[in-house]
Amino acid sequence: PKLRVLVPGRIAGAKGETLLRPLISATADIAEYLLVGAGRAGMGFFGTPGVDVIPDYDLAQLPGLLDRLRPDLALLPRSVAETFSYSLSEMQALHLPVLATANGAYPERIRDGIDGLLAAPSTEALAARLRKIAADRHV
């Protein structure tokens, strides 16, 4: 089965959309994407093969939503640095493995290979990391 990749939170522009659109194309053979809480930017992904969009959610609903969606990991594909990430905190609290771009607060809060995964903020680096994850799964 394909990797089920959850992309939580807003994705407008550099908050994810910039890297996500080419990443979805580059990994269509190994991954399907669940854009949860993507807001208005998520509307541009409606109808994209391998992508499900839930524009908004209530934080209290997130655990049940994840139980239903059953993602393999969360992806935080920011191409610009953030000083803090509530999405990262939410994913860590729910014990969902995270792959994030190695910029801003992410490398300060994630030790690569220990409590999450990091990749350079590029489509190529994220795709390579997702391919490695897909290949290493014991299904």
Side-chain angles (χ1 to χ4, degrees):
K2 291 184 178 184
L3 276 178
R4 292 181 59 78
V5 181
L6 175 78
V7 181
R10 298 297 190 238
I11 60 166
K15 288 183 72 75
E17 189 176 15
T18 304
L19 292 173
L20 197 53
R21 194 165 297 283
L23 181 63
I24 289 168
S25 295
T27 57
D29 59 322
I30 58 137
E32 54 191 20
Y33 292 83
L34 311 161
L35 309 184
V36 176
R40 294 184 72 189
M43 303 300 189
F45 289 89
F46 275 123
T48 302
V51 179
D52 288 323
V53 180
I54 299 172
D56 294 293
Y57 67 92
D58 182 270
L59 187 55
Q61 297 172 324
L62 190 57
L65 196 56
L66 294 186
D67 283 344
R68 188 167 51 83
L69 296 173
R70 302 179 114 22
D72 294 304
L73 75 153
L75 172 66
L76 302 174
R78 310 298 188 253
S79 56
V80 295
E82 290 190 335
T83 57
F84 188 80
S85 170
Y86 289 105
S87 293
L88 174 57
S89 297
E90 291 165 7
M91 297 303 103
Q92 289 174 329
L94 294 169
H95 306 289
L96 186 62
V98 173
L99 168 59
T101 49
N103 57 14
Y106 294 145
E108 297 167 7
R109 298 182 59 200
I110 297 172
R111 294 169 294 168
D112 188 44
I114 298 170
D115 48 15
L117 300 171
L118 295 168
S122 73
T123 299
E124 297 79 14
L126 289 169
R129 202 75 197 245
L130 286 172
R131 288 191 179 285
K132 185 172 183 349
I133 293 165
D136 289 346
R137 289 194 304 170
H138 301 288
V139 180

